[in-house]
Amino acid sequence: MHGEYKVPGGKLVVVDLDVEDGRLANVHLAGDFFLEPDDALADIDAAISGLPVGTDASAIAAAVRAALPPGAQLLGFTPESIGTVVRRALITAPGWKDLTWEVVHDRPVSPRMNLALDEVLTTRVGDGRRNPTLRLWEWDESAVVIGSFQSYRNEVDPEGAARHGFDVVRRISGGGAMMMGAGSIVTYSLYVPASLVAGMTFADSYAFLDDWVLQALRSIGVDATYQPLNDITSPQGKIGGAAQKRLANGGVLHHATLSYDMDGQVMTEVLRIGREKLSDKGTVSAAKRVDPLRRQTGLPREAIIERFIETFTHLYGATEGHITEEEYAEAEALVATKFATDAWLRRVP
């Protein structure tokens, strides 16, 4: 069995192994990482060999950590990444380049349609009716998008939203509220099969699925890093955040919103951002903890999106795709029955 895992921001970890009598055997770890002392590689292989085939990633990582000699240095990988690659080998998880990717950047639609398209396209990828897809959003009106489990009245000031022209909508993924001001953010969605993130912890999958965008941001001069669980940040402040939804049919939605430009005063009048949420962020102002891409790069929003598409296409061999009329029609029906209804918007009052 063979498994590969590119550590987000790190190196490629590869493993080859067998299963004999329900246990891992003939384990050989490899990759472009750095390891000192040199013979610690044999200690890692020996620590994994003999483990029951059902051992989870965290237990594999613990076995590796216990076997490392004092003072061992792992650069570009961790015991946790070793646990991940072993689990991926056992379930023959594909890599990015094993999939046929499309990139979609189509006409603007309403925020509700964008949310409905997320559900429709994730479902279709899970069913095998659409190739894995990266979609860059465009929208024709401003909105506040709240997470699936957020309280409407606790997160949004309705009067402030109305005064500044923001509709309020709810998405299917968890996480926090985002302000979709006209031309002020960059939002993308990934629709992938669950097999792509198989063997990873939920937390690890966030960084894994956004590693490409960190590379894109660095190529335009932004020192972007990932801050668990779901923030994309730089030394100047938070850039954006990601959220996920996993469907029963095997489709995974992973989407992220990055701040391109921001009016901090408007944000404080539209969103109710409490002190408790900010208590672990080292700041008392939500506006001050965000540093938009426009200020960091000086580039037009369109140029940033173009670089995102170029980077993803170069890394994974993606081709240009489009949303079909059938998919648009399915999303429109979902807007009418779900995303535009008060029952959905106020599912958590």
Side-chain angles (χ1 to χ4, degrees):
M1 297 177 180
H2 178 84
E4 299 186 3
Y5 176 55
K6 169 64 169 59
V7 180
K11 297 297 186 178
L12 180 68
V13 185
V14 181
V15 72
D16 291 282
L17 55 83
D18 297 320
V19 174
E20 297 177 356
D21 298 323
R23 293 187 175 272
L24 307 182
N26 305 316
V27 177
H28 298 287
L29 193 75
D32 59 359
F33 49 77
F34 299 91
L35 175 65
E36 294 292 344
D38 187 85
D39 55 9
L41 185 62
D43 295 328
I44 293 173
D45 290 345
I48 301 169
S49 296
L51 292 176
V53 71
T55 306
D56 64 20
S58 61
I60 295 170
V64 169
R65 186 171 283 106
L68 290 171
Q73 298 291 314
L74 284 67
L75 302 177
F77 74 127
T78 63
E80 286 71 24
S81 64
I82 297 171
T84 295
V85 75
V86 170
R87 292 309 311 169
R88 287 173 65 79
L90 291 168
I91 53 184
T92 61
W96 288 92
K97 293 183 179 180
D98 295 321
L99 303 176
T100 302
W101 291 96
E102 293 182 17
V103 177
V104 171
H105 187 208
D106 280 351
R107 61 180 172 85
V109 295
S110 71
R112 287 188 178 91
M113 270 292 287
N114 273 305
L115 298 175
L117 283 168
D118 269 357
E119 184 166 339
V120 167
L121 300 181
T122 305
T123 300
R124 285 178 173 247
V125 169
D127 289 342
R129 292 180 289 154
R130 163 174 274 279
N131 287 329
T133 301
L134 167 68
R135 179 172 72 94
L136 281 301
W137 289 27
E138 295 294 347
W139 59 98
D140 55 12
E141 60 187 70
S142 295
V144 174
V145 182
I146 60 176
S148 179
F149 310 109
Q150 287 189 296
S151 163
Y152 175 91
R153 63 174 173 238
N154 288 344
E155 299 298 329
V156 182
D157 182 332
E159 293 182 0
R163 184 169 63 252
H164 292 288
F166 283 82
D167 192 11
V168 183
V169 293
R170 185 186 294 275
R171 64 181 183 268
I172 62 173
S173 63
M178 64 182 189
M179 285 180 57
M180 290 182 57
S184 67
I185 63 170
V186 176
T187 294
Y188 61 85
S189 295
L190 280 167
Y191 315 107
V192 306
S195 58
L196 181 62
V197 293
M200 297 182 200
T201 66
F202 197 86
D204 285 346
S205 73
Y206 272 81
F208 177 78
L209 291 174
D210 277 335
D211 189 53
W212 69 273
V213 83
L214 299 186
Q215 296 183 55
L217 289 169
R218 290 166 188 157
S219 76
I220 54 175
V222 179
D223 185 15
T225 56
Y226 215 83
Q227 180 175 316
L229 170 67
N230 62 334
D231 284 353
I232 297 171
T233 188
S234 77
Q236 285 70 46
K238 178 178 175 178
I239 300 169
Q244 284 187 18
K245 176 66 176 180
R246 303 190 179 201
L247 304 184
N249 74 343
V252 175
L253 165 64
H254 178 95
H255 48 194
T257 294
L258 311 183
S259 176
Y260 173 71
D261 202 0
M262 182 186 67
D263 187 324
Q265 183 60 38
V266 170
M267 183 169 71
T268 60
E269 294 177 13
V270 172
L271 300 180
R272 303 186 194 276
I273 304 173
R275 293 181 180 177
E276 183 66 23
K277 181 176 177 63
L278 297 173
S279 63
D280 66 342
K281 307 299 183 181
T283 180
V284 294
S285 168
K288 289 181 180 179
R289 59 181 288 253
V290 178
D291 197 57
L293 290 172
R294 181 177 183 178
R295 193 206 65 76
Q296 292 199 51
T297 67
L299 294 173
R301 176 179 176 274
E302 294 75 15
I304 293 173
I305 290 175
E306 182 178 351
R307 180 57 60 90
F308 281 13
I309 293 173
E310 289 174 352
T311 300
F312 192 89
T313 299
H314 172 73
L315 287 172
Y316 307 131
T319 59
E320 182 181 2
H322 297 281
I323 298 168
T324 67
E325 291 305 313
E326 182 182 14
E327 289 167 339
Y328 275 124
E330 188 176 342
E332 287 173 355
L334 199 55
V335 168
T337 60
K338 181 175 182 177
F339 290 100
T341 66
D342 200 55
W344 172 250
L345 177 61
R346 300 178 186 274
R347 68 186 292 256
V348 182

